[in-house]
Amino acid sequence: MPTEVTMPQMGESIFEGTLTKWLKKVGDKVSRDEPLFEISTDKVDAEIPAPSAGVLSEIKVQEGATVQVNTVVAMIAEEGSTSQTASAAQPAKLMPQAQATSAAQPAPPAPAPAAAPSAPPALPSATGKGIDVTMPQMGESIFEGTLTKWLKKVGDKVSRDEPLFEISTDKVDAEIPAPASGVLSEINVQEGATVQVNTVVAVIAGEGSQTASAPPAPSQSTAPAAPSTPAAPPQQAPAAQSAAPAAASASLAERLRSSPLVRKIAKDNNVDLHQLSGTGNAGRITKEDILGFIAQHGKAAPAPPLGVPAPSRAMAPQQPTAAAPLSSAAAPVGAPGEIVPMSKMRSIIAKRMAESKHTSAHVHTVFKVDMTRIVKIREKEKSKFEQRNGVKLTYMPFITRAVLAGIKAMPIVNTSVEGESIRYHKSVNVGIAVALDWGLIVPVVKKVEEKSFLGIQRAIHDVAERARGKKLQPDEVFGGTFTITNPGIFGPQFGMPIINQPQVAILGMGGLFKEPVVITDKDGNDSIAIRHIIRLTLGYDHRIIDGADADKFMVVVRNYLENWSEEIG
């Protein structure tokens, strides 16, 4: 009998999710545990595996739709069953987002078309002038999106499910597929505009319909609509300078699986993506793939055949060995004197940081820690450690073990505020801040008190790598009770981190430096020696944690590190 595919639970206190992409189409064979579709919330993107083997016989929820957990989104039939054919012949199931989320609301009146469109009548979003293309729902509590790029221009033929435009919110960048085949007859929203979900951004007319060449009515609420000819409007002139670049870009999108960020990095560095072998799902080219290629081969000379003009605000290429600052990855770079609007993610980060400062009474204490003993242990053991265990030996598990010792001594640091009460958490779940190309995410290593040194190193490496590759499971970004952030990789002496709500403390790691230090021997004699020094900053909520308790916690952390005695595995 057929197997129901449901929207999974997205994490703690999350009751809905957005289906961002189908990785299979109706009629495709699927294997059990093979990635079937992608989902997104404001915290995590994840691939959801098929619950059984068979044939994808029915898709009930279209890309871009937001639905409650446990909603049936598809059906998998056994191979050879008659339900495959019957379900595959139901295109009406694939409703555009505007109809899926607001079916109970009457559609806005549409201007009379010049001629009857030839769009398939089974598509419920068809209007008198063609198929409406809408801004999809991008995730929980997200009510608008920014249209960042059109992948087609007015007059271009489009195929159903072919990438049509790119959108961006504070948590995700995504390509939005065409809801039907035909000709792109109108563009109602220009690149860079931010609009509410379900806004009609374009219209697709059936091939041969006069609608594709008829001038669209101007709109007062959105940017000017596209003119009646296949040329793009004046605001889109750079994209319309040549038909060849658009065709090449569309062809590239069809043959290669990659994200908008990957293609932008490739374009900024004149890299032909056909030279790369993708390591992602189904050969998808990941950010790590393109950055690794650039690191190995460097930038290529400009490629005249594509003829794509360089953007006025190019994103600076990032080094693959370290997470880049958010500003270089998420925001455009303006010229001196220029006003550049915040990216969607930057505006949300600004809001969240201000909310945390408003919620918690932030106080910081900075401790100098002599890491010489640990530096020597690491230098001596790192090669054997990696050969023996398959992961590199970093300083993070040393710091995490010291934090665990500090929390055992001062449990108040591992709490959260609930109304007028304080919740003491049973486990120590450490969030590890990871800088991503689209922002910042804090995956959580659960129950570190139950893990060995090696187990902590493996867990940190695992969640950080999967965070960068969008492979985290939903519950891996929830439930943190204490956070560690490491801006020291960029060289600061120390920082003043902001608390990750609803936690009450965060530890910031400064840079590791050689410094002259006064050493007193057992006889009381002083001498100067060169030592490896790090500055650790504890940001804490003074509503809950007193200064004396915060300093006692840091004394335990410092002593644990300076007198390290554990086996590292």
Side-chain angles (χ1 to χ4, degrees), residues 189-236:
V189 174
Q190 304 302 319
E191 293 179 353
T194 299
V195 295
Q196 298 294 311
V197 299
N198 297 331
T199 298
V200 177
V201 300
V203 175
I204 296 175
E207 290 191 54
S209 169
Q210 296 180 21
T211 308
S213 59
S219 170
Q220 295 179 351
S221 60
T222 60
S228 59
T229 66
Q235 294 88 337
Q236 292 181 319

Side-chain angles (χ1 to χ4, degrees), residues 85-154:
T85 306
S87 300
Q90 298 177 4
K93 293 289 185 181
L94 296 175
M95 296 193 300
Q97 175 67 5
Q99 301 298 323
T101 58
S102 59
Q105 301 177 3
S118 59
L123 288 168
S125 63
T127 64
K129 61 181 180 179
I131 307 298
D132 287 343
V133 181
T134 60
M135 175 64 65
Q137 178 77 35
M138 289 305 295
E140 181 191 26
S141 69
I142 301 296
F143 305 106
E144 63 182 16
T146 301
L147 197 156
T148 55
K149 185 177 182 180
W150 282 102
L151 304 175
K152 296 285 186 177
K153 63 181 185 295
V154 171

Side-chain angles (χ1 to χ4, degrees), residues 228-483:
S228 59
T229 66
Q235 294 88 337
Q236 292 181 319
Q241 291 179 356
S242 169
S249 176
S251 175
L252 184 65
E254 292 174 0
R255 293 193 301 269
L256 296 173
R257 297 194 66 200
S258 60
S259 68
L261 175 70
V262 166
R263 292 195 295 279
K264 180 166 179 57
I265 295 174
K267 182 171 71 172
D268 291 346
N269 292 274
N270 301 310
V271 173
D272 181 358
L273 289 177
H274 288 86
Q275 302 176 60
L276 281 72
S277 296
T279 61
N281 178 56
R284 187 179 183 88
I285 298 175
T286 66
K287 177 198 168 195
E288 287 70 27
D289 293 333
I290 182 66
L291 292 179
F293 182 89
I294 293 171
Q296 183 176 358
H297 301 282
K299 293 183 179 181
L306 287 179
V308 180
S312 58
R313 303 185 190 120
M315 181 185 67
Q318 304 172 27
Q319 295 299 322
T321 54
L326 296 182
S327 59
S328 67
V333 179
E338 184 180 10
I339 297 177
V340 178
M342 288 186 185
S343 67
K344 198 68 181 176
M345 168 159 275
R346 177 52 53 199
S347 66
I348 295 299
I349 289 175
K351 180 181 178 182
R352 299 266 171 86
M353 295 299 98
E355 287 174 349
S356 181
K357 293 288 285 187
H358 177 75
T359 299
S360 297
H362 278 70
V363 180
H364 294 83
T365 184
V366 182
F367 272 60
K368 288 176 63 175
V369 179
D370 188 340
M371 293 281 284
T372 304
R373 181 177 178 82
I374 288 177
V375 169
K376 289 181 178 179
I377 292 173
R378 179 176 177 271
E379 287 300 314
K380 178 182 178 182
E381 299 291 336
K382 64 180 182 180
S383 294
K384 291 183 290 185
F385 185 92
E386 184 173 1
Q387 292 174 3
R388 186 167 60 245
N389 302 307
V391 292
K392 292 183 178 180
L393 177 59
T394 70
Y395 290 110
M396 288 299 295
F398 293 96
I399 300 295
T400 304
R401 292 291 291 178
V403 164
L404 180 60
I407 289 174
K408 287 180 178 178
M410 303 300 301
I412 189 65
V413 176
N414 194 51
T415 64
S416 59
V417 179
E418 295 185 7
E420 298 295 322
S421 303
I422 302 172
R423 175 179 292 276
Y424 284 79
H425 297 292
K426 294 180 180 180
S427 296
V428 180
N429 302 333
V430 178
I432 306 296
V434 178
L436 305 173
D437 47 79
W438 68 92
L440 184 71
I441 195 168
V442 185
V444 179
V445 177
K446 303 287 181 67
K447 297 184 177 180
V448 295
E449 73 276 9
E450 297 179 2
K451 291 179 169 29
S452 65
F453 180 94
L454 174 58
I456 292 173
Q457 176 66 87
R458 282 177 168 163
I460 291 174
H461 173 80
D462 175 57
V463 295
E465 287 301 304
R466 287 190 292 112
R468 297 184 182 103
K470 288 190 176 183
K471 301 296 182 184
L472 286 172
Q473 296 301 310
D475 64 348
E476 291 177 319
V477 293
F478 295 100
T481 61
F482 186 94
T483 295

